[in-house]
């Protein structure tokens, strides 16, 4: 194998695929990064037991030449050293050659590295997933769907299925749902006939996979193609192929958790509430598991407070746009409330309560595509 | 006590004094931050067993009003919560009041915090150090002197005196010296008569104190006043008073470590050498205690190389401006060389070797105010 390649372009691809590589892998060869040179360009691959990422660099694109010379071949490089070496090379061009003894030579300017490689035949074969279920989404929309839900997945392995985001097509909508059983984040996207006719009922994608995918994808309106098989999901965008395993098991039915009626409804400015909750949480961190209190008062006033006997207490009154229904005193985790408010894109939110002991719902005021649900904490 | 004060100005002072506050202090009251309001303004104090930092906020300065109301008094606030609270307050003005029960009320906009304070009488008295030894330096010059030496102090407590920077006045120069016994960093500053007449022979300032001082000081040409007593050193700049204890014991005489003659002298571009050493260190990190090799070759060529049997090897040839004297092969820590080259401010450095087993010296080519010394490693 021999490649003469633009260093920056190579570095960009390396950064993508190393997101899948872990030094703590149970399969030693997966601590490596695979480089494969073929007639059209080179493909880099990184993988762990959950995710595989492939990045392709074409010889040239839109008149820009990335690769000056190309002899086919493949090799596994040490993912701990290779990226740092490429990053610190002196010249804008890198020459990578391999010999029959799996020795790799990396040259750039006057610097010359010789690394021990591993046989690419020992690397697991990654085949494209076989399925007829595929659809497209704009990348920025997908990133948003992930951002608005993935923070709510469970970080505990007691119920592994809750560490994933539930994806399903239902009632002409594509739904993303995540819950750790104390709070729930859901959003939905109206879909055209194509998507609603999906054969799959639902899948559960590991939260970690979605976080890594979101980091790699640039915030563009370009489309990404999504393919789903029985145990894998693949995302294919321009020169990037991202495959994740799906979680086994049935995701709990969450729709009945969501109260259908409400007794108190608040309309408040998102940022004002977020900042008041953030301040109240300052004293709630140590002693009360982040619990703060919300209380409605007369004249559209909402009081946010927190009390930590050893340190002190905090109270803040904010003016709501509108308060409808019964008076209310309720306690909840400030962390969950901050998480929920942070992803709201609207200036105002609507919060629907059904009493101090029942889950409550936070929504944008002008649409119902996002739904956040939080379970209160009993303190009264 | 009652203060109505500009939030940003208060935050700036808090950030300065918290540099001295540690939550792990053996004296519980020192985990607090002292606020003292007097007729002219307020003074914040933070302290640990090594450092005390005081920051003063005047009522007004250069036509800018910082404090709108001021009633004298003093209190100790919890340094874990107070800074975060001030940082997150909603309004640009903060009202702080205390009552006779050591309760503190912090108001800003609609937010109101009540914190438990501690009696300021329990806080150790910090008195200005008594000495006639004081002199002035421009702040940017002092910061430079610190930067060029402090990285070389020892991080091990086996010889506590080496964890400090040695400051002494000798031969019309002010000297800063730091060594961890494997490398040494020294610089000197020509001084006027005033300084050379100092009564102190030498002092040793904890490296940590100098690091904190350097972080707080802005990079200006304003003067800072330095006062030295038997066991303390104080730095006084505009509204900031920084006191550090001095280290007990005698600093080793380092001048005889420095070779007086040289057998090989290299003149090289600082950045070229730094980058080549940095690349060679990539493969030296794990297996060889960061050791790399430098070898002179014909035609002003210097080869930098490193070999790590399991991973691979690297070689790079750089062109020196000039090589004088004998041929040379020498091995040394890439980390020490990187540290030494990073603080060089000149485009070129001069490296003087006295053989593969003797310490070598790195200096700027055009002055001898900075001297870096590194002990080689025996590998041949």
């Amino acid at each position: 194998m021999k490649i003469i390649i633009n260093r920056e372009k190579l570095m960009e691809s390396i950064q993508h695929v190393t997101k899948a590589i872990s030094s703590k892998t149970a399969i030693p060869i997966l601590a490596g990064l695979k480089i494969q040179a073929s007639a059209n360009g080179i493909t880099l691959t990184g993988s762990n037991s959950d995710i595989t990422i492939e990045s392709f660099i074409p010889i040239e694109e839109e008149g820009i030449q990335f690769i000056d010379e190309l002899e086919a071949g493949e090799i596994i490089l040490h993912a701990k050293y290779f990226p740092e070496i490429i990053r610190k090379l002196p010249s804008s061009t890198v020459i990578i050659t391999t010999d029959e003894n799996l020795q790799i030579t990396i040259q750039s300017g006057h610097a010359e590295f010789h690394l021990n490689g591993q046989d690419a035949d020992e690397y697991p074969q990654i085949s494209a997933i076989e399925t007829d279920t595929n659809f497209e989404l704009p990348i920025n929309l997908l990133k948003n769907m992930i951002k608005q839900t993935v923070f709510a997945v469970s970080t505990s392995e007691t119920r592994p299925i809750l560490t994933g985001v539930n994806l399903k097509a239902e009632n002409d909508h594509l739904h993303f749902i995540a819950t750790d059983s104390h709070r729930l984040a859901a959003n939905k996207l109206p879909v055209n006939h194509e998507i609603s006719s999906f054969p799959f009922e639902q899948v559960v994608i590991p939260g970690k996979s979605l976080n890594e995918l979101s980091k790699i994808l640039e915030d563009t309106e370009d489309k990404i193609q999504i393919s789903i098989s029985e145990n894998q999901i693949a995302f294919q965008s321009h020169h990037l192929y991202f495959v994740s395993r799906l979680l086994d098991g049935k995701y709990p039915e969450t729709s009945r958790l969501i109260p259908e009626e409400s007794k108190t409804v608040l309309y408040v400015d998102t940022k004002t509430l977020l900042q008041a909750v953030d301040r109240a949480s300052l004293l709630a961190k140590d002693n009360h598991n982040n619990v703060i209190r919300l209380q409605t008062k007369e004249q559209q006033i909402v009081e946010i407070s927190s009390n930590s006997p050893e340190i002190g207490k905090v109270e803040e009154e904010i003016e709501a746009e509108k308060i409808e229904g019964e008076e209310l005193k309720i306690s909840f985790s400030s962390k969950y409330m901050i998480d929920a408010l942070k992803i709201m894109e609207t200036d105002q939110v609507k919060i629907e309560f059904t009493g101090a002991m029942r889950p409550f719902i936070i929504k944008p005021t002008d649409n119902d595509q996002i739904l956040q649900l939080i379970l209160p904490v009993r303190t009264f």
Side-chain angles (χ1 to χ4, degrees), chain A:
Chain A
M1 187 181 84
K2 181 173 182 184
I3 312 165
I4 303 182
I5 187 167
N6 175 275
R7 190 175 66 86
E8 266 187 44
K9 187 71 185 171
L10 176 60
M11 198 61 226
E12 190 189 306
S13 275
I14 291 173
Q15 279 165 342
H16 287 168
V17 304
T18 48
K19 294 244 168 9
I21 303 176
S22 161
S23 56
K24 284 178 259 165
T25 173
I27 308 163
I29 192 112
L30 291 185
L33 185 156
K34 183 176 167 185
I35 292 196
Q36 188 173 26
S38 58
N40 308 318
I42 73 161
T43 304
L44 274 65
T45 308
S47 183
N48 60 36
S49 47
D50 289 340
I51 313 174
T52 297
I53 305 173
E54 282 184 8
S55 175
F56 179 73
I57 305 171
I59 292 176
E60 64 120 36
E61 190 175 50
E62 291 172 2
I64 303 167
Q65 182 98 8
F66 295 126
I67 301 176
D68 288 334
E69 209 180 311
L70 191 63
E71 278 176 23
E74 51 183 5
I75 193 99
I76 311 299
L77 277 147
H78 207 305
K80 183 173 170 191
Y81 300 97
F82 181 61
E84 272 302 279
I85 289 170
I86 300 299
R87 197 167 71 82
K88 293 195 167 170
L89 287 177
S91 155
S92 63
T93 303
V94 186
I95 308 170
I96 303 177
T97 48
T98 58
D99 68 14
E100 60 279 13
N101 299 319
L102 304 172
Q103 290 298 302
I104 303 144
T105 303
I106 302 169
Q107 280 170 286
S108 178
H110 289 286
E112 186 169 314
F113 286 81
H114 301 272
L115 295 180
N116 306 326
Q118 283 179 278
D119 193 344
D121 289 343
E122 289 169 28
Y123 200 83
Q125 276 299 323
I126 320 292
S127 46
I129 74 174
E130 281 182 27
T131 174
D132 295 327
T133 304
N134 45 69
F135 58 102
E136 285 187 339
L137 283 182
I139 292 179
N140 52 4
L141 207 54
L142 174 66
K143 276 175 72 103
N144 250 354
M145 296 290 279
I146 295 173
K147 188 181 87 177
Q148 290 164 0
T149 51
V150 74
F151 66 85
V153 300
S154 170
T155 51
S156 142
E157 287 291 334
T158 17
R159 289 181 68 190
I161 196 82
L162 296 187
T163 63
V165 174
N166 183 209
L167 175 59
K168 62 180 176 184
E170 207 174 74
N171 305 330
D172 297 331
H173 283 82
L174 188 66
H175 295 258
F176 279 59
I177 300 161
T179 180
D180 60 6
S181 78
H182 301 290
R183 42 100 176 249
L184 176 146
N187 55 15
K188 60 184 176 184
L189 203 61
V191 289
N192 51 24
H193 176 66
E194 246 183 293
I195 301 192
S196 58
S197 70
F198 268 8
F200 70 96
E201 207 182 313
Q202 59 161 35
V203 296
V204 185
I205 311 163
K208 278 184 196 161
S209 302
L210 291 176
N211 273 325
E212 294 305 338
L213 175 66
S214 203
K215 274 186 224 160
I216 296 174
L217 295 175
E218 277 176 52
D219 217 355
T220 71
E221 290 177 9
D222 293 351
K223 293 285 175 66
I224 191 162
Q225 188 175 332
I226 303 173
S227 317
I228 301 173
S229 74
E230 207 182 326
N231 50 17
Q232 285 188 309
I233 185 164
F235 300 85
Q236 166 91 60
S237 82
H238 191 61
H239 299 325
L240 185 78
Y241 186 67
F242 184 106
V243 190
S244 168
R245 75 176 174 100
L246 294 172
L247 292 178
D248 261 348
K250 195 163 162 46
Y251 200 78
E253 180 51 49
T254 52
S255 58
R256 67 201 143 77
L257 284 178
I258 296 157
E260 279 170 8
E261 41 165 34
S262 58
K263 293 185 177 163
T264 314
V265 184
L266 300 187
Y267 296 82
V268 284
D269 183 79
T270 316
K271 207 173 145 191
T272 305
L273 179 61
L274 174 57
Q275 290 177 345
V277 170
D278 192 21
R279 278 189 284 273
S281 78
L282 288 175
L283 299 190
K285 266 174 197 159
D286 285 351
N287 293 355
H288 277 288
N289 200 19
N290 289 313
V291 174
I292 61 166
R293 181 197 288 200
L294 180 150
Q295 185 169 359
T296 58
K297 300 201 156 183
E298 285 178 1
Q299 291 177 322
Q300 321 297 353
I301 295 296
V302 178
E303 187 191 80
I304 308 290
S305 63
S306 161
N307 189 358
S308 179
E310 281 179 28
I311 305 153
K313 59 185 176 179
V314 45
E315 291 147 12
E316 180 160 356
E317 292 188 345
I318 62 173
E319 200 172 330
E321 192 66 27
K322 196 161 61 172
I323 303 181
E324 292 172 351
E326 302 175 3
E327 282 184 12
L328 176 82
K329 277 188 195 178
I330 190 167
S331 295
F332 49 83
S333 153
S334 58
K335 180 180 183 309
Y336 293 164
M337 184 57 111
I338 291 169
D339 285 348
L341 292 172
K342 265 190 182 161
I343 58 94
M344 291 290 171
E345 284 163 348
T346 52
D347 291 344
Q348 268 198 25
V349 288
K350 179 183 177 185
I351 312 184
E352 299 174 21
F353 299 93
T354 347
M357 291 301 127
R358 303 290 309 279
F360 60 93
I361 291 172
I362 310 155
K363 284 181 185 171
T365 41
D366 57 0
N367 72 66
D368 63 351
Q369 298 189 346
I370 299 179
L371 180 148
Q372 303 280 337
L373 177 140
I374 296 174
L375 269 68
V377 175
R378 186 189 299 261
T379 58
F380 291 102

mmCIF file of all heavy atoms in Angstrom, chain A residues 331-358:
data_model
loop_
_atom_site.group_PDB
_atom_site.id
_atom_site.type_symbol
_atom_site.label_atom_id
_atom_site.label_comp_id
_atom_site.label_asym_id
_atom_site.label_seq_id
_atom_site.Cartn_x
_atom_site.Cartn_y
_atom_site.Cartn_z
ATOM 1 N N SER A 331 -42.397 19.923 44.604
ATOM 2 C CA SER A 331 -40.936 19.817 44.698
ATOM 3 C C SER A 331 -40.432 18.858 43.629
ATOM 4 O O SER A 331 -41.081 17.857 43.323
ATOM 5 C CB SER A 331 -40.525 19.284 46.072
ATOM 6 O OG SER A 331 -40.882 20.194 47.073
ATOM 7 N N PHE A 332 -39.290 19.187 43.050
ATOM 8 C CA PHE A 332 -38.744 18.316 41.993
ATOM 9 C C PHE A 332 -37.241 18.535 41.885
ATOM 10 O O PHE A 332 -36.686 19.467 42.478
ATOM 11 C CB PHE A 332 -39.425 18.601 40.650
ATOM 12 C CG PHE A 332 -39.485 20.060 40.301
ATOM 13 C CD1 PHE A 332 -38.393 20.689 39.706
ATOM 14 C CD2 PHE A 332 -40.621 20.816 40.580
ATOM 15 C CE1 PHE A 332 -38.433 22.031 39.392
ATOM 16 C CE2 PHE A 332 -40.661 22.185 40.271
ATOM 17 C CZ PHE A 332 -39.570 22.786 39.678
ATOM 18 N N SER A 333 -36.592 17.684 41.104
ATOM 19 C CA SER A 333 -35.147 17.779 40.892
ATOM 20 C C SER A 333 -34.832 18.977 40.003
ATOM 21 O O SER A 333 -35.320 19.073 38.878
ATOM 22 C CB SER A 333 -34.641 16.497 40.220
ATOM 23 O OG SER A 333 -33.481 16.767 39.467
ATOM 24 N N SER A 334 -33.982 19.875 40.500
ATOM 25 C CA SER A 334 -33.621 21.035 39.683
ATOM 26 C C SER A 334 -32.842 20.596 38.451
ATOM 27 O O SER A 334 -32.929 21.198 37.390
ATOM 28 C CB SER A 334 -32.790 22.021 40.498
ATOM 29 O OG SER A 334 -31.631 21.393 40.999
ATOM 30 N N LYS A 335 -32.075 19.514 38.591
ATOM 31 C CA LYS A 335 -31.293 19.036 37.454
ATOM 32 C C LYS A 335 -32.198 18.630 36.294
ATOM 33 O O LYS A 335 -31.949 18.996 35.144
ATOM 34 C CB LYS A 335 -30.433 17.842 37.883
ATOM 35 C CG LYS A 335 -29.598 17.290 36.740
ATOM 36 C CD LYS A 335 -28.751 16.111 37.138
ATOM 37 C CE LYS A 335 -27.880 15.662 35.976
ATOM 38 N NZ LYS A 335 -28.607 15.444 34.718
ATOM 39 N N TYR A 336 -33.262 17.880 36.605
ATOM 40 C CA TYR A 336 -34.166 17.458 35.531
ATOM 41 C C TYR A 336 -34.825 18.658 34.876
ATOM 42 O O TYR A 336 -34.995 18.708 33.658
ATOM 43 C CB TYR A 336 -35.237 16.509 36.083
ATOM 44 C CG TYR A 336 -34.707 15.177 36.562
ATOM 45 C CD1 TYR A 336 -35.474 14.352 37.384
ATOM 46 C CD2 TYR A 336 -33.441 14.724 36.178
ATOM 47 C CE1 TYR A 336 -34.994 13.128 37.820
ATOM 48 C CE2 TYR A 336 -32.957 13.509 36.617
ATOM 49 C CZ TYR A 336 -33.728 12.713 37.445
ATOM 50 O OH TYR A 336 -33.257 11.503 37.872
ATOM 51 N N MET A 337 -35.205 19.639 35.700
ATOM 52 C CA MET A 337 -35.860 20.822 35.152
ATOM 53 C C MET A 337 -34.884 21.613 34.271
ATOM 54 O O MET A 337 -35.260 22.078 33.194
ATOM 55 C CB MET A 337 -36.386 21.694 36.300
ATOM 56 C CG MET A 337 -37.165 22.909 35.851
ATOM 57 S SD MET A 337 -38.599 22.508 34.801
ATOM 58 C CE MET A 337 -39.940 22.933 35.907
ATOM 59 N N ILE A 338 -33.645 21.746 34.712
ATOM 60 C CA ILE A 338 -32.647 22.466 33.911
ATOM 61 C C ILE A 338 -32.422 21.746 32.583
ATOM 62 O O ILE A 338 -32.417 22.363 31.512
ATOM 63 C CB ILE A 338 -31.325 22.620 34.702
ATOM 64 C CG1 ILE A 338 -31.530 23.593 35.873
ATOM 65 C CG2 ILE A 338 -30.182 23.093 33.798
ATOM 66 C CD1 ILE A 338 -30.386 23.638 36.880
ATOM 67 N N ASP A 339 -32.251 20.430 32.637
ATOM 68 C CA ASP A 339 -32.074 19.640 31.402
ATOM 69 C C ASP A 339 -33.236 19.876 30.438
ATOM 70 O O ASP A 339 -33.038 20.062 29.234
ATOM 71 C CB ASP A 339 -32.019 18.141 31.725
ATOM 72 C CG ASP A 339 -30.695 17.719 32.341
ATOM 73 O OD1 ASP A 339 -29.738 18.523 32.314
ATOM 74 O OD2 ASP A 339 -30.611 16.581 32.848
ATOM 75 N N ALA A 340 -34.456 19.848 30.981
ATOM 76 C CA ALA A 340 -35.648 19.960 30.134
ATOM 77 C C ALA A 340 -35.758 21.352 29.513
ATOM 78 O O ALA A 340 -36.069 21.499 28.325
ATOM 79 C CB ALA A 340 -36.895 19.642 30.954
ATOM 80 N N LEU A 341 -35.476 22.381 30.311
ATOM 81 C CA LEU A 341 -35.634 23.748 29.806
ATOM 82 C C LEU A 341 -34.538 24.117 28.811
ATOM 83 O O LEU A 341 -34.754 24.894 27.887
ATOM 84 C CB LEU A 341 -35.645 24.747 30.970
ATOM 85 C CG LEU A 341 -36.867 24.676 31.896
ATOM 86 C CD1 LEU A 341 -36.669 25.585 33.108
ATOM 87 C CD2 LEU A 341 -38.156 25.060 31.152
ATOM 88 N N LYS A 342 -33.357 23.541 29.020
ATOM 89 C CA LYS A 342 -32.229 23.884 28.151
ATOM 90 C C LYS A 342 -32.478 23.538 26.696
ATOM 91 O O LYS A 342 -31.942 24.183 25.798
ATOM 92 C CB LYS A 342 -30.972 23.154 28.624
ATOM 93 C CG LYS A 342 -30.112 23.992 29.549
ATOM 94 C CD LYS A 342 -28.783 23.308 29.775
ATOM 95 C CE LYS A 342 -27.935 24.104 30.747
ATOM 96 N NZ LYS A 342 -26.876 23.287 31.326
ATOM 97 N N ILE A 343 -33.218 22.468 26.441
ATOM 98 C CA ILE A 343 -33.395 22.051 25.040
ATOM 99 C C ILE A 343 -34.621 22.698 24.397
ATOM 100 O O ILE A 343 -34.907 22.472 23.222
ATOM 101 C CB ILE A 343 -33.475 20.516 24.915
ATOM 102 C CG1 ILE A 343 -34.616 19.946 25.744
ATOM 103 C CG2 ILE A 343 -32.171 19.860 25.315
ATOM 104 C CD1 ILE A 343 -35.884 19.766 24.990
ATOM 105 N N MET A 344 -35.357 23.492 25.159
ATOM 106 C CA MET A 344 -36.530 24.169 24.592
ATOM 107 C C MET A 344 -36.067 25.277 23.660
ATOM 108 O O MET A 344 -35.199 26.068 24.014
ATOM 109 C CB MET A 344 -37.389 24.776 25.713
ATOM 110 C CG MET A 344 -38.078 23.742 26.563
ATOM 111 S SD MET A 344 -39.394 22.902 25.633
ATOM 112 C CE MET A 344 -39.802 21.591 26.790
ATOM 113 N N GLU A 345 -36.669 25.336 22.496
ATOM 114 C CA GLU A 345 -36.229 26.345 21.539
ATOM 115 C C GLU A 345 -37.147 27.555 21.518
ATOM 116 O O GLU A 345 -36.894 28.515 20.805
ATOM 117 C CB GLU A 345 -36.133 25.724 20.152
ATOM 118 C CG GLU A 345 -34.892 24.863 20.036
ATOM 119 C CD GLU A 345 -34.958 23.904 18.864
ATOM 120 O OE1 GLU A 345 -36.051 23.748 18.292
ATOM 121 O OE2 GLU A 345 -33.921 23.322 18.541
ATOM 122 N N THR A 346 -38.227 27.488 22.275
ATOM 123 C CA THR A 346 -39.178 28.601 22.250
ATOM 124 C C THR A 346 -38.949 29.520 23.444
ATOM 125 O O THR A 346 -38.453 29.105 24.479
ATOM 126 C CB THR A 346 -40.625 28.070 22.319
ATOM 127 O OG1 THR A 346 -40.728 27.189 23.444
ATOM 128 C CG2 THR A 346 -40.965 27.301 21.056
ATOM 129 N N ASP A 347 -39.353 30.789 23.280
ATOM 130 C CA ASP A 347 -39.178 31.770 24.345
ATOM 131 C C ASP A 347 -40.049 31.450 25.552
ATOM 132 O O ASP A 347 -39.720 31.789 26.676
ATOM 133 C CB ASP A 347 -39.549 33.171 23.842
ATOM 134 C CG ASP A 347 -38.544 33.664 22.825
ATOM 135 O OD1 ASP A 347 -37.445 33.068 22.763
ATOM 136 O OD2 ASP A 347 -38.859 34.608 22.093
ATOM 137 N N GLN A 348 -41.197 30.820 25.288
ATOM 138 C CA GLN A 348 -42.113 30.499 26.380
ATOM 139 C C GLN A 348 -42.386 29.009 26.458
ATOM 140 O O GLN A 348 -42.416 28.323 25.451
ATOM 141 C CB GLN A 348 -43.452 31.193 26.141
ATOM 142 C CG GLN A 348 -43.530 32.543 26.803
ATOM 143 C CD GLN A 348 -44.965 32.998 26.939
ATOM 144 O OE1 GLN A 348 -45.894 32.192 26.976
ATOM 145 N NE2 GLN A 348 -45.142 34.299 27.023
ATOM 146 N N VAL A 349 -42.586 28.531 27.685
ATOM 147 C CA VAL A 349 -43.010 27.142 27.853
ATOM 148 C C VAL A 349 -44.317 27.092 28.645
ATOM 149 O O VAL A 349 -44.657 28.021 29.380
ATOM 150 C CB VAL A 349 -41.954 26.282 28.588
ATOM 151 C CG1 VAL A 349 -40.763 26.015 27.706
ATOM 152 C CG2 VAL A 349 -41.546 26.913 29.908
ATOM 153 N N LYS A 350 -45.000 25.967 28.450
ATOM 154 C CA LYS A 350 -46.263 25.705 29.138
ATOM 155 C C LYS A 350 -45.999 24.517 30.045
ATOM 156 O O LYS A 350 -45.483 23.493 29.591
ATOM 157 C CB LYS A 350 -47.289 25.354 28.054
ATOM 158 C CG LYS A 350 -48.667 25.017 28.528
ATOM 159 C CD LYS A 350 -49.506 24.624 27.294
ATOM 160 C CE LYS A 350 -50.895 24.197 27.696
ATOM 161 N NZ LYS A 350 -51.671 23.701 26.534
ATOM 162 N N ILE A 351 -46.311 24.644 31.333
ATOM 163 C CA ILE A 351 -46.087 23.530 32.254
ATOM 164 C C ILE A 351 -47.434 23.088 32.805
ATOM 165 O O ILE A 351 -48.188 23.908 33.355
ATOM 166 C CB ILE A 351 -45.139 23.923 33.411
ATOM 167 C CG1 ILE A 351 -43.906 24.639 32.855
ATOM 168 C CG2 ILE A 351 -44.713 22.691 34.199
ATOM 169 C CD1 ILE A 351 -42.854 24.980 33.883
ATOM 170 N N GLU A 352 -47.750 21.813 32.622
ATOM 171 C CA GLU A 352 -49.058 21.302 33.032
ATOM 172 C C GLU A 352 -48.906 20.371 34.229
ATOM 173 O O GLU A 352 -48.272 19.313 34.122
ATOM 174 C CB GLU A 352 -49.711 20.536 31.874
ATOM 175 C CG GLU A 352 -49.935 21.402 30.651
ATOM 176 C CD GLU A 352 -50.438 20.588 29.454
ATOM 177 O OE1 GLU A 352 -50.972 19.470 29.684
ATOM 178 O OE2 GLU A 352 -50.266 21.058 28.315
ATOM 179 N N PHE A 353 -49.501 20.758 35.355
ATOM 180 C CA PHE A 353 -49.433 19.963 36.580
ATOM 181 C C PHE A 353 -50.780 19.303 36.853
ATOM 182 O O PHE A 353 -51.830 19.858 36.542
ATOM 183 C CB PHE A 353 -49.108 20.869 37.771
ATOM 184 C CG PHE A 353 -47.791 21.584 37.667
ATOM 185 C CD1 PHE A 353 -47.717 22.861 37.117
ATOM 186 C CD2 PHE A 353 -46.623 20.988 38.136
ATOM 187 C CE1 PHE A 353 -46.501 23.536 37.026
ATOM 188 C CE2 PHE A 353 -45.411 21.665 38.050
ATOM 189 C CZ PHE A 353 -45.344 22.929 37.495
ATOM 190 N N THR A 354 -50.723 18.105 37.484
ATOM 191 C CA THR A 354 -51.962 17.441 37.916
ATOM 192 C C THR A 354 -51.881 17.159 39.415
ATOM 193 O O THR A 354 -52.285 16.100 39.883
ATOM 194 C CB THR A 354 -52.164 16.107 37.163
ATOM 195 O OG1 THR A 354 -51.257 16.034 36.067
ATOM 196 C CG2 THR A 354 -53.569 15.960 36.670
ATOM 197 N N GLY A 355 -51.287 18.064 40.157
ATOM 198 C CA GLY A 355 -51.151 17.888 41.601
ATOM 199 C C GLY A 355 -49.708 17.614 41.978
ATOM 200 O O GLY A 355 -48.885 17.247 41.142
ATOM 201 N N ALA A 356 -49.426 17.803 43.294
ATOM 202 C CA ALA A 356 -48.047 17.765 43.779
ATOM 203 C C ALA A 356 -47.416 16.375 43.701
ATOM 204 O O ALA A 356 -46.188 16.240 43.763
ATOM 205 C CB ALA A 356 -47.982 18.283 45.210
ATOM 206 N N MET A 357 -48.220 15.333 43.578
ATOM 207 C CA MET A 357 -47.686 13.965 43.580
ATOM 208 C C MET A 357 -47.675 13.323 42.196
ATOM 209 O O MET A 357 -47.302 12.167 42.056
ATOM 210 C CB MET A 357 -48.525 13.079 44.529
ATOM 211 C CG MET A 357 -48.357 13.437 45.988
ATOM 212 S SD MET A 357 -46.635 13.279 46.478
ATOM 213 C CE MET A 357 -46.362 14.883 47.189
ATOM 214 N N ARG A 358 -48.128 14.052 41.183
ATOM 215 C CA ARG A 358 -48.241 13.470 39.851
ATOM 216 C C ARG A 358 -47.179 14.049 38.918
ATOM 217 O O ARG A 358 -46.751 15.190 39.076
ATOM 218 C CB ARG A 358 -49.635 13.761 39.265
ATOM 219 C CG ARG A 358 -50.811 13.260 40.110
ATOM 220 C CD ARG A 358 -50.896 11.731 40.096
ATOM 221 N NE ARG A 358 -50.867 11.201 38.727
ATOM 222 C CZ ARG A 358 -51.942 11.153 37.926
ATOM 223 N NH1 ARG A 358 -53.115 11.571 38.362
ATOM 224 N NH2 ARG A 358 -51.845 10.656 36.705
#
